[in-house]
């Protein structure tokens, strides 16, 4: 039933392994995929991992730095696997405790771990325990809660009075008695408020009762403040004229219609005015030659120290209360035990700290599911680990969470666009980048920023206007082209424009336009082709099919997803459905998915940088560019430690 079971150290040394009968494939490939995709990337919140046709389940032993992995076919449903891993971990630890406590990695090589007989016995016990469980018998209709419901029990009453559940006859009698009591003393009828109290609010709805309570509250508040508030006196005619609305005057506009009318000057602006217009942004922009600057944040060490001190006090107080019950010396020992590393961490110790961490991450715009998985991963990473001397639970958990976040944000592969463009130039072909994303995230704007960065580094750029749906999309790119060429005149590039626009208008096939643009760039020897696509929601199947077709037909060198930093849970949904759509509508066995992320509007979120964590965690792809402003030079690369510092800031 099992394909393999392996026990190895976190350093990569296999201590013992088992391979099932008839299994020819080595377990090295699936285990290496588990290490690369889960353990090294701090994604151990879920103890299950799928690789091709296999399902791998694993457990970490943080005290002895061991990993227990079992693999079986994905189509099988083995209910005893979790119990088997737990039993094998305990048995292996107990049997080889002395060998595992030795220092250094040489202990794994000099000791012989013969665990075959114990494994077979534990496997038989786990299989028998799963067979011994009787199948769950379905309840009969008489045993279910549905059979106990009657028509009378499903009738809802207005006031929720239990007396009404016994039928309407009693209510009618109560009404008759109330009418007789009212007829006996017609001259002394109680006020409405008292009458409602006598009747038990039976004739009032919930909304009427709430309205009455509000009026009573306002009346009491007015009585305390010195009487009922007086209504303002009506304004006189002169005062009305004085308080009439005044028209707003904008700083950059005139005060009359003649100054606002620019129709006579349209199309007649001379060359001097155009040069002046184009020279203003040039004076403000800075050089972007070479790699991009990192996003920088101030360190949050003071806030972290304050939180650590608060958590330290909480731990000491808790341990002191426990020790006080054991005696005077027990309280002092409990206080020291909370600080000195004398015990291993357990799930109960970390649970209150992890709950606070999860709420903090969600408040920083991390998706709720991602925050929960991160905290679970940290708990599994630290469970059983011995704390350092004079360290608190809060500081240990926070340090582990920071390391996990930095590991997630750091790219898993080399991302060097300048080097890739030079390599493509040596092969006499253009380097193609495709931009995709939802509506309004800033694809065209950040495409222009990336164009400016590439031109600054000496490359020629061709922009392919493949957004043939949105009105004004081609005109927007043409405006960016004109501005970029004014900043980098053709005289500086051998009489050739630094950036050109390839467009075929609206209503055309985007995949065909991209193919023609790439062929044009190859013939005209352009270095880079930037393909702008139409914004589309992740739920729009026809548009997602068209995007998958564009990417499958043209095979760009880089597919960048453009997402804004303002989103929270929506970022996960967007990326998952974009990747899924590209995989479903692809014509290849190995579909082309998203290669990187462009994070826009990063200057609008202050320290709520959780969208960066959510996007990189769900895709495993790096954030290549970060948009931080409205000018062409407001383009940065992601600094993982700076972002984590802002994320952990209180």
């Amino acid at each position: 039933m099992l394909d393999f079971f392996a026990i190895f150290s976190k350093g990569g040394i296999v201590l013992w392994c088992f391979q099932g009968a008839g299994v020819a494939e080595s377990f090295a490939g699936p285990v290496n995929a588990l290490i690369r995709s889960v353990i090294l990337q701090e994604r151990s919140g879920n103890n299950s991992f799928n690789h091709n046709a296999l399902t791998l389940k694993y457990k970490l032993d943080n005290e002895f730095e061991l990993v227990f992995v079992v693999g079986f076919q994905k189509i099988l449903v083995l209910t005893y696997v979790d119990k088997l891993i737990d039993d094998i971990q305990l048995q292996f630890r107990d049997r080889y405790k002395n060998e595992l406590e030795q220092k250094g990695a040489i202990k794994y090589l000099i000791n012989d771990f013969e665990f075959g007989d114990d494994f077979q016995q534990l496997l038989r016990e786990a299989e028998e325990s799963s067979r011994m469980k009787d199948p769950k018998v379905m309840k009969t209709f008489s045993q279910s809660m549905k059979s106990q419901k009657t028509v009378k029990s499903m009738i809802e009453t207005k006031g929720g009075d239990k007396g009404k559940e016994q039928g309407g006859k009693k209510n009618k009698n109560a009404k008759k008695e109330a009418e007789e009591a009212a007829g006996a003393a017609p001259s002394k009828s109680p006020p409405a408020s008292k009458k409602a109290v006598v009747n038990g609010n039976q004739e009032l709805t919930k909304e009427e009762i709430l309205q009455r309570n509000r009026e009573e509250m306002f009346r009491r508040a007015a009585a305390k403040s010195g009487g009922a508030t007086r209504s303002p006196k009506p304004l006189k005619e002169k005062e009305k004229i004085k308080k009439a609305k005044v028209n707003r005057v904008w700083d950059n506009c005139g005060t009359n219609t003649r100054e606002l009318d620019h129709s006579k000057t349209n199309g007649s602006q001379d060359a001097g005015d155009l040069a002046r217009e184009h020279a203003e942004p040039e004076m403000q922009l800075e050089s972007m030659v070479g790699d991009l600057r990192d996003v920088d944040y101030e360190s949050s060490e003071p806030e972290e120290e304050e939180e650590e001190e608060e958590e330290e006090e909480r731990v000491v107080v808790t341990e002191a209360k426990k020790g006080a019950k054991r005696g005077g010396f027990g309280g002092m020992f409990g206080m020291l035990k909370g600080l000195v590393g004398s015990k291993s961490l357990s799930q109960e110790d970390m649970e209150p700290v992890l709950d606070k961490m999860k709420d903090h991450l969600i408040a920083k715009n991390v998706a709720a599911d991602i925050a929960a998985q991160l905290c679970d991963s940290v708990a599994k990473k630290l469970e059983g680990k011995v704390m350092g001397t004079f360290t608190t639970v809060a500081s240990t958990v926070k340090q582990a969470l920071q390391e996990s976040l930095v590991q997630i944000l750091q790219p898993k592969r080399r991302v060097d666009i300048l080097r890739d463009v030079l390599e493509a130039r040596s092969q006499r072909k253009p380097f193609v980048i495709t931009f995709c994303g939802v509506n309004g995230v800033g694809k065209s704007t950040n495409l222009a920023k990336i164009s400016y960065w590439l031109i600054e580094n000496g490359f020629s750029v061709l922009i392919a206007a493949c957004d043939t749906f949105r009105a004004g999309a081609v005109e927007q790119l043409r405006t960016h082209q004109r501005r970029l060429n004014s900043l980098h005149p053709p005289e500086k590039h051998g009489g050739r424009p630094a950036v050109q626009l390839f467009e075929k208008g609206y209503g055309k096939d985007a995949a065909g336009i991209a193919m023609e643009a790439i062929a044009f760039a190859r013939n005209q020897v352009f270095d880079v082709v930037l393909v702008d696509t139409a914004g589309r929601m992740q739920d729009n199947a026809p548009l997602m099919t068209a995007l998958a077709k564009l990417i499958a037909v043209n095979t760009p060198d880089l597919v960048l997803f453009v997402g804004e930093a303002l989103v929270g849970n929506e970022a996960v949904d967007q990326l998952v459905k974009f990747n899924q759509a590209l995989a479903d509508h692809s014509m290849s066995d190995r579909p082309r998915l998203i290669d990187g992320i462009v994070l826009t509007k990063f200057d609008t979120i202050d320290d709520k940088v959780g969208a960066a964590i959510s996007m990189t965690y769900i895709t495993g792809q790096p954030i290549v560019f970060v948009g931080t402003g409205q000018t062409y030079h407001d383009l940065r690369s992601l600094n993982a430690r700076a972002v984590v510092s802002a994320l952990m800031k209180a």
Side-chain angles (χ1 to χ4, degrees):
M1 299 291 283
L2 299 181
D3 283 26
F4 68 88
F5 197 107
I7 304 174
F8 57 92
S9 67
K10 290 187 177 180
I13 302 175
V14 179
L15 307 185
W16 178 86
C17 65
F18 160 81
Q19 198 153 3
V23 179
E25 185 181 358
S26 174
F27 63 87
V31 171
N32 288 333
L34 172 69
I35 295 173
R36 287 193 302 267
S37 303
V38 178
I39 297 177
L40 292 181
Q41 295 188 20
E42 305 292 345
R43 299 170 185 266
S44 55
N46 187 10
N47 65 341
S48 181
F49 173 72
N50 293 327
H51 178 73
N52 295 335
L54 292 179
T55 295
L56 278 67
K57 289 200 172 185
Y58 60 95
K59 187 169 185 180
L60 305 179
D61 190 325
N62 298 301
E63 184 177 357
F64 295 115
E65 301 292 327
L66 300 178
V67 183
F68 298 80
V69 183
V70 59
F72 53 92
Q73 293 296 319
K74 191 187 300 184
I75 61 175
L76 300 178
V77 180
L78 304 181
T79 58
Y80 61 85
V81 171
D82 293 331
K83 180 180 182 304
L84 178 64
I85 294 180
D86 295 337
D87 295 342
I88 289 179
Q89 181 199 15
L90 295 176
Q91 182 72 13
F92 193 84
R93 284 165 50 97
D94 294 341
R95 180 169 179 178
Y96 300 105
K97 184 176 181 180
N98 296 330
E99 290 83 351
L100 295 173
E101 286 179 347
Q102 298 176 8
K103 296 183 178 180
I106 194 67
K107 63 185 177 183
Y108 300 126
L109 303 176
I110 62 176
N111 294 311
D112 190 11
F113 299 94
E114 293 291 340
F115 197 67
D117 297 336
D118 295 341
F119 172 77
Q120 294 295 340
Q121 181 181 356
L122 293 174
L123 179 60
R124 285 193 299 269
E125 292 176 357
E127 291 177 347
E128 290 175 0
S129 64
S130 64
R131 294 194 196 100
M132 289 172 59
K133 294 181 180 179
D134 296 331
K136 191 174 182 180
V137 181
M138 294 181 63
K139 293 182 180 179
T140 62
F141 179 75
S142 58
Q143 295 174 344
S144 64
M145 296 292 294
K146 200 170 185 179
S147 63
Q148 301 176 8
K149 291 183 178 181
T150 60
V151 177
K152 185 185 295 184
S153 64
M154 290 187 288
I155 296 176
E156 296 182 358
T157 58
K158 286 185 178 180
D161 194 359
K162 294 182 179 179
K164 288 189 176 184
E165 296 178 359
Q166 300 177 0
K169 189 173 181 181
K170 185 176 179 180
N171 294 336
K172 291 180 180 179
N173 295 332
K175 288 182 180 179
K176 289 181 180 179
E177 293 175 0
E179 290 175 358
E180 291 176 358
S187 60
K188 297 181 180 180
S189 59
S193 60
K194 291 185 178 180
K195 184 178 179 180
V197 173
V198 171
N199 291 337
N201 295 334
Q202 292 181 2
E203 297 181 358
L204 296 177
T205 62
K206 291 183 179 180
E207 290 78 7
E208 293 174 347
I209 295 173
L210 291 173
Q211 183 65 24
R212 189 193 63 188
N213 293 339
R214 289 195 193 99
E215 293 174 356
E216 182 68 18
M217 182 184 67
F218 292 147
R219 186 182 62 80
R220 291 180 180 176
K224 289 182 180 179
S225 62
T229 58
R230 298 180 180 179
S231 60
K233 295 181 179 180
L235 295 175
K236 298 180 180 180
E237 294 296 331
K238 294 182 179 180
E239 294 178 354
K240 287 183 180 179
I241 296 174
K242 289 181 181 179
K243 294 189 177 182
K245 185 176 180 180
V246 181
N247 293 330
R248 177 177 294 179
V249 179
W250 298 98
D251 296 336
N252 58 347
C253 298
T255 57
N256 53 34
T257 56
R258 292 182 179 179
E259 296 178 1
L260 296 175
D261 186 9
H262 299 283
S263 59
K264 296 181 180 179
T265 60
N266 286 346
S268 61
Q269 196 172 10
D270 56 3
D273 295 336
L274 284 172
R276 194 180 307 109
E277 178 186 351
H278 297 322
E280 291 175 358
E282 187 177 5
M283 296 172 61
Q284 299 174 1
L285 296 179
E286 58 188 27
S287 176
M288 297 182 66
V289 179
D291 295 333
L292 295 172
R293 291 191 301 165
D294 294 337
V295 177
D296 195 13
Y297 276 96
E298 295 182 357
S299 177
S300 59
E301 293 178 358
E303 288 81 3
E304 293 177 2
E305 293 176 358
E306 292 177 2
E307 291 183 2
E308 290 176 4
E309 292 174 359
E310 292 176 2
E311 186 63 29
E312 179 179 337
E313 294 176 359
R314 187 187 66 79
V315 172
V316 171
V317 171
T318 304
E319 295 293 340
K321 289 181 179 179
K322 293 180 180 178
K325 298 179 180 179
R326 298 190 296 267
F329 291 100
M332 181 62 66
F333 178 74
M335 292 172 64
L336 293 176
K337 190 176 181 181
L339 296 175
V340 182
S342 59
K343 66 171 185 177
S344 59
L345 285 172
S346 64
Q347 186 71 28
E348 291 76 13
D349 297 332
M350 297 182 288
E351 187 173 358
V353 183
L354 288 174
D355 289 341
K356 291 183 179 179
M357 290 292 178
K358 183 173 71 173
D359 295 339
H360 178 75
L361 291 176
I362 294 174
K364 292 287 185 169
N365 225 12
V366 179
D369 294 341
I370 304 299
Q373 293 178 24
L374 285 171
C375 293
D376 292 342
S377 176
V378 171
K380 289 188 177 182
K381 180 181 178 181
L382 294 178
E383 188 175 6
K385 190 174 183 179
V386 179
M387 293 173 56
T389 306
F390 291 99
T391 57
T392 62
V393 177
S395 60
T396 305
V397 172
K398 183 175 292 185
Q399 182 65 26
L401 181 61
Q402 287 181 343
E403 294 175 357
S404 299
L405 294 175
V406 171
Q407 188 68 25
I408 288 170
L409 288 176
Q410 286 179 345
K412 311 303 180 293
R413 58 182 179 83
R414 180 184 62 84
V415 180
D416 192 346
I417 293 180
L418 298 180
R419 179 178 176 181
D420 294 339
V421 173
L422 289 173
E423 184 178 353
R425 177 195 279 179
S426 64
Q427 299 176 5
R428 296 183 178 181
K429 66 176 185 179
F431 186 80
V432 183
I433 304 176
T434 299
F435 297 82
C436 62
V438 300
N439 308 77
V441 294
K443 291 184 294 299
S444 302
T445 303
N446 285 272
L447 181 146
K449 293 181 182 180
I450 296 171
S451 300
Y452 177 77
W453 173 62
L454 292 170
I455 296 170
E456 284 279 304
N457 286 275
F459 298 115
S460 57
V461 178
L462 177 67
I463 300 177
C466 295
D467 185 357
T468 62
F469 179 77
R470 177 173 63 92
V474 177
E475 287 76 12
Q476 181 183 6
L477 293 177
R478 187 177 292 114
T479 302
H480 283 304
Q481 176 213 5
R482 186 173 65 251
R483 299 288 291 172
L484 290 170
N485 284 328
S486 66
L487 295 173
H488 289 272
E491 294 78 15
K492 296 182 180 180
H493 298 272
R496 178 181 177 180
V499 56
Q500 293 187 28
L501 178 66
F502 187 90
E503 55 95 5
K504 293 292 183 180
Y506 296 97
K508 305 296 191 304
D509 182 28
I513 295 176
M515 181 180 295
E516 293 180 18
I518 295 172
F520 179 80
R522 187 181 293 109
N523 296 331
Q524 299 297 323
V525 196
F526 279 91
D527 297 322
V528 185
V529 178
L530 303 181
V531 180
D532 183 32
T533 62
R536 64 205 73 208
M537 296 305 295
Q538 63 270 21
D539 299 323
N540 194 324
L543 291 180
M544 294 305 299
T545 305
L547 177 64
K549 174 187 173 183
L550 185 149
I551 294 175
V553 169
N554 296 284
T555 60
D557 299 287
L558 195 63
V559 179
L560 296 180
F561 176 84
V562 184
E564 58 184 7
L566 300 171
V567 296
N569 294 320
E570 186 70 11
V572 177
D573 186 61
Q574 290 174 3
L575 281 166
V576 168
K577 291 187 177 179
F578 261 79
N579 263 336
Q580 189 64 39
L582 294 178
D584 293 342
H585 302 296
S586 177
M587 297 175 289
S588 173
D589 295 335
R590 293 185 176 181
R592 184 64 180 276
L593 303 180
I594 293 171
D595 300 321
I597 299 168
V598 180
L599 196 60
T600 65
K601 307 177 185 179
F602 207 70
D603 55 323
T604 63
I605 57 173
D606 194 23
D607 59 351
K608 292 180 172 56
V609 295
I613 300 293
S614 301
M615 291 182 179
T616 52
Y617 187 90
I618 202 65
T619 60
Q621 301 299 337
I623 295 178
V624 184
F625 298 105
V626 178
T628 59
Q630 299 179 356
T631 58
Y632 290 138
H633 71 271
D634 289 329
L635 193 68
R636 299 287 184 269
S637 62
L638 191 74
N639 186 344
R641 296 195 176 276
V643 172
V644 172
S645 176
L647 188 67
M648 301 302 294
K649 188 176 180 181

